[in-house]
Structures are given as structure tokens and as C-alpha cells.
Amino acid sequence: MATWEKHPASTIWNQHTHLIMALSSYLSSLEKDLSLDVAVLQQIATAFEKAMVDGLAGKTSSLKMLPSFIGIPTGKEKGAVIAVDFGGSNVRVIDAQLDGASKVEIKQMKRFPLVDPKGAYNYVNQDARAEELFGFIAQEIGSFARPGVSYSLGHTFSFPCEQTGINQARLIHWTKEFKTQGVEGKDIALLLDTALAAKNVTNVKGTAVINDTVGTQLAAAYTHQNVDIASICGTGHNTCYLQPAHPLTGKPMIVNMESGNFDGAPQSRFDVALDQASDSPGSQRLEKMISGYYLGEVFRRILGDMSTLGLLPKADKLTQKHVLTGYNLDRILADMGELPETAAVLGECLGWTTLTLEQRKAVQTVMTLVARRSARLVASTFCGTIHFVDAGLTRSHAIAIDGSLYEKMPQYAVWLQAALDELLPQAAGRVTTLLAKDGSGIGAAIAAATAAASST
Ligand code: GLC
């Protein structure tokens, strides 16, 4: 009789102990890769600031530093506006009235998907063309605008655009895995204007195209003071800031950094593999470590590695992209005690039903490391930006943020503020973040009215 048959209980116990030790050593090594200490964050902040300086001076830089041709609003903006918020697979349109006293009254709002859930159409894949995409948006605007009302239209288009004016914005390249043909290199304002004309929508006149970060900053400026940085921490990631005297105009102007493309943060082997397997290897490297679109993918790759090593069971679904959605990541992060939610998520998404408590704990630790790294990386880029605009930390800085990570991910906002305080101890209490919910829509409304006023 084999020894293990004589002592089955002790063998199981040994295997169990062995698994616990193996999990613990895997997690320690992962922690070394993913938990960025304050010295590393400081280096990232310094590299980020240098990339800002270079990008603004037109030198080679991973930060595009795109001019927006808009500064901080006065609050006196007035009129009927339509705001189009296009930054993901759902487009939102808002019909609003600005009263000239920092108030935006929303009359109506609607949302529509660019990818039909039932599969009838898809305007964002490689088979779709620009005319179809913008034709669809124009048609939705036409059926939404109230007849008899003359509107200025502000368009939040949340992709990297080269602007030569507030209403001239050429898409440099798609991000967030969008693929519609015939849009890259084209003027977005012109594409939408042409589509509106083709659909015979005559009471809506495009006046401004802005990035969602810029929209967030404009909207936050209506309600808060000292907002000189705005950021999106959601499906995508990007930050803008107010340049007090922009080299192009000598006047205050918001600059869209396209910081998701920053390449100065240390990648782990999981980030390298994710980048290589993406549609755009080498680009948006920071975004691929930070944003909601990719966090579940980093997490999935680590779980895949653990499964290969026998620390977790096998699962065919581990090869399936985006199998772990943001909502499920949040459930894991918020879980407590015996981790029932973690068990439920892993059962639903990966078919794992027999995990031990240690394995569930390990999975939660992995997710925490991935999410906390995201928040700390964001903080280091904010720190670089603050140092750029106010090296002596002579004043308070409010950072307006929109996006699901900041708004909903358990602990994210706390980790972000903690990292800012670690990085800038001398400014404790003077560098704060605030939620600017739906800022990109309101911001488009403000931009439309600002641009309409300056063109009359
Ligand atoms: C992507 C886009 C950027 C946008 C961000 C957040 O990074 O390139 O323009 O601001 O997503 O939506």
C-alpha cells in the first residue's frame, strides 16, 4: 500500500499547506512588481513633468499636449445648446439652456448605443464608415432637437485630436479599440456638420469640439474654485490642465495631455503581454495599466498565470477577453469575511466553484494590487502636473475627476488621495480631488455657448 493511502488526511493537509505557501510566495513577488513605493512614484512624476515640458515645446514626447483653444469659463455663457458626448460605445445628447449666471438647465437628455445590443448595427468596428457613424449621430440629434429652437452644438469627442481652433479638431488616431474607417485624420466638426446637413437638421450649428477632460474642467469651474487639473478615470484615462499663458496665444488655455499615452511608468510582464496582444502595441501604455477598459484584462492575465502554475484551477474562459467586467471587479474589491461575492463572481465568470478561502483571498489580493497601482499611477501624474504649474506649491489645487473608477471602484478615491498626500506631504490638505459627474456633457454645453459668443 502506498504511503499516501495510509495517511490520506495528512496528505491532503500537506497539499493544502503547500498551496498556501505557494500562493503566499506568488503574491509577495507580485506585490514587488505592482506596489509602487513613494520613491518610484516620485520618479514617475518627474518623468511625467519632463514629458510635459518636451511635449509643449514640440519636442518628441509621449504626451501630445494638445491645445484646446478654450480657457476657464466666466459663468456668463448663455443660450440654447445641444451637447453631444461621444467617448465610448454609448453617445449621450443633452438639450440645455445656459442662463448667464453659471447655471446649466438640462431640458432633456438621451443616450443611444453605437453598437446595437441585438446585433442590427455596429458603427465602431472596422466594417463601419465615417458617414454611417456620423449620419447615425446626426439623425439622433435631428430627432431630439426641439423644432423652432436654434442651437449651438458642443461636441465632446473623447479621442486624441489635433486642434487648430475651438471648432477644428482632426482625429490623430482612434483609441479605446475603436476602428470605424475614414475618421482618422479627418476634421470631426466637419464630419458632424456634413452629416447634419445631409439629414436636413438646420437648427443645430456646431461651434465647439472638446476632449472629455476639457469638458470636465469647464464643468467643474462652474461650481468650484481652484480647479486647474481635470481627469477621466473610467473606461479610458486622460488628464488636462490649465496652462496660464499658452505659447500659441499667450492666454490661459486648457491643454489635453493625452496622458494615457505616457510611457514612463514601469511595466510588469503582464502589462507588456497585454500591450503586445492589443490592437495598438506601444501606444496608450499608461492607459493600459490604469483604465477600466484594461484593468480587468491585467487581472485576467495574472489569474491565467496563477492557473498555469497550478495555484488556481484551469478555466477555458480565462482566454476570453473582457470576461471580467468592471462591475465584477468592484464586487471582488468590496467583498469581506469569507468572500462570498468573490466566490460568486469567479463562479459566474470563470466557472470556478471549488476555490478554497485562501484562493479567494489570493484573488482578492491580486485585484487590490492591480486597482491600487492604477490609483497610485494616476496620483504620480497629478503630482508631475502640479509641480509643472506651481513648483513652489504656493496655492491650493483642486483636481476634478469623472469616471467609473474614481466614482465607484471601492477604495479607489481613497488610494488616490493617500498617494497624493504621500507624494506631496508639504501640501497636505491643499491638493484635493472632487467628483465632476457627467462633466463632459455639461462641459460641451459650456464650450458651445463660449464659442458661439466669441463668434458673434
Ligand atoms: C482615451 C482618449 C482620450 C480620452 C480618454 C478618456 O485615452 O484617447 O482622448 O480623454 O480616453 O475618455
Side-chain angles (χ1 to χ4, degrees):
M1 192 186 265
T3 336
W4 63 268
E5 282 175 350
K6 275 198 240 151
H7 304 287
S10 84
T11 306
I12 291 171
W13 187 83
N14 277 339
Q15 283 173 349
H16 188 65
T17 314
H18 179 75
L19 179 64
I20 294 179
M21 285 167 65
L23 277 172
S24 143
S25 102
Y26 187 90
L27 292 179
S28 317
S29 132
L30 188 70
E31 188 165 359
K32 281 204 190 81
D33 289 346
L34 301 187
S35 62
L36 310 166
D37 66 24
V38 72
V40 175
L41 292 185
Q42 202 69 61
Q43 282 165 14
I44 299 170
T46 306
F48 191 84
E49 185 182 357
K50 177 169 186 319
M52 289 178 73
V53 174
D54 289 348
L56 209 56
K59 294 190 194 153
T60 307
S61 167
S62 60
L63 294 182
K64 294 190 176 66
M65 306 298 282
L66 302 167
S68 67
F69 291 88
I70 193 159
I72 291 300
T74 58
K76 299 202 173 117
E77 296 75 15
K78 251 183 149 159
V81 293
I82 286 203
V84 177
D85 186 7
F86 173 3
S89 51
N90 281 299
V91 173
R92 200 160 49 115
V93 280
I94 299 173
D95 171 355
Q97 182 73 36
L98 277 74
D99 71 349
S102 295
K103 209 165 141 245
V104 183
E105 186 197 342
I106 296 179
K107 303 265 185 201
Q108 47 167 346
M109 168 151 71
K110 85 167 169 185
R111 232 177 245 280
F112 50 90
L114 296 176
V115 181
D116 181 37
K118 296 198 182 105
Y121 60 83
N122 182 335
Y123 294 113
V124 306
N125 69 9
Q126 63 276 20
D127 300 326
R129 286 178 301 110
E131 300 71 38
E132 293 166 331
L133 169 63
F134 286 91
F136 180 62
I137 296 174
Q139 180 183 310
E140 293 289 330
I141 294 171
S143 66
F144 175 76
R146 283 169 292 146
V149 181
S150 239
Y151 294 97
S152 309
L153 178 144
H155 185 179
T156 295
F157 183 71
S158 311
F159 300 92
C161 287
E162 187 85 64
Q163 299 218 203
T164 45
I166 179 73
N167 202 30
Q168 281 100 39
R170 192 180 58 79
L171 174 63
I172 302 172
H173 55 70
W174 282 123
T175 50
K176 303 181 236 190
E177 321 264 320
F178 271 58
K179 300 186 189 74
T180 315
Q181 287 181 39
V183 189
E184 289 182 332
K186 296 282 165 47
D187 185 335
I188 300 308
L190 201 60
L191 284 174
L192 187 57
D193 273 357
T194 311
L196 285 168
K199 299 282 176 195
N200 209 19
V201 183
T202 50
N203 59 333
V204 180
K205 186 175 177 298
T207 57
V209 180
I210 57 169
N211 186 258
D212 52 355
T213 53
V214 176
T216 302
Q217 180 143 3
L218 294 174
Y222 255 37
T223 49
H224 290 81
Q225 296 200 321
N226 307 324
V227 177
D228 49 9
I229 298 176
S231 186
I232 303 291
C233 297
T235 310
H237 170 66
N238 186 15
T239 300
C240 71
Y241 74 101
L242 182 71
Q243 172 71 33
H246 193 277
L248 285 176
T249 56
K251 295 195 183 132
M253 192 194 288
I254 301 174
V255 175
N256 163 19
M257 297 196 271
E258 284 296 321
S259 57
N261 195 50
F262 177 61
D263 64 4
Q267 289 174 298
S268 71
R269 63 197 163 102
F270 303 105
D271 304 305
V272 173
L274 184 152
D275 181 35
Q276 289 307 316
S278 74
D279 285 353
S280 50
S283 79
Q284 300 297 105
R285 274 175 42 181
L286 186 70
E287 185 164 65
K288 287 170 184 162
M289 299 164 77
I290 284 181
S291 84
Y293 187 82
Y294 298 102
L295 277 192
E297 288 298 280
V298 179
F299 180 49
R300 178 177 69 86
R301 282 175 179 277
I302 301 173
L303 297 190
D305 189 48
M306 293 172 78
S307 163
T308 309
L309 293 170
L311 300 172
L312 292 171
K314 305 251 168 285
D316 290 346
K317 289 218 177 130
L318 272 175
T319 55
Q320 196 177 309
K321 277 191 173 181
H322 300 294
V323 67
L324 294 149
T325 58
Y327 165 68
N328 285 321
L329 306 186
D330 291 356
R331 284 170 73 193
I332 294 178
L333 286 169
D335 209 4
M336 288 193 290
E338 304 267 296
L339 305 182
E341 280 296 302
T342 306
V345 169
L346 297 171
E348 287 157 29
C349 301
L350 301 172
W352 285 343
T353 51
T354 56
L355 296 187
T356 63
L357 177 60
E358 283 77 18
Q359 286 174 314
R360 298 200 296 276
K361 277 189 183 159
V363 168
Q364 190 188 44
T365 302
V366 171
M367 190 53 230
T368 305
L369 289 172
V370 170
R372 197 174 53 201
R373 181 183 68 156
S374 163
R376 291 175 73 79
L377 283 170
V378 170
S380 70
T381 68
F382 289 167
C383 176
T385 311
I386 289 169
H387 196 260
F388 176 83
V389 291
D390 177 20
L393 281 170
T394 55
R395 53 198 162 85
S396 298
H397 299 274
I399 305 168
I401 309 179
D402 197 3
S404 51
L405 298 185
Y406 181 74
E407 189 191 352
K408 298 195 181 126
M409 188 167 251
Q411 293 299 310
Y412 197 89
V414 175
W415 289 324
L416 179 49
Q417 186 65 52
L420 281 171
D421 294 345
E422 259 179 74
L423 278 160
L424 301 165
Q426 67 281 40
R430 283 189 296 128
V431 176
T432 48
T433 63
L434 60 105
L435 177 67
K437 197 162 162 44
D438 295 335
S440 51
I442 308 279
I446 298 171
T450 308
S454 62
S455 67
T456 50

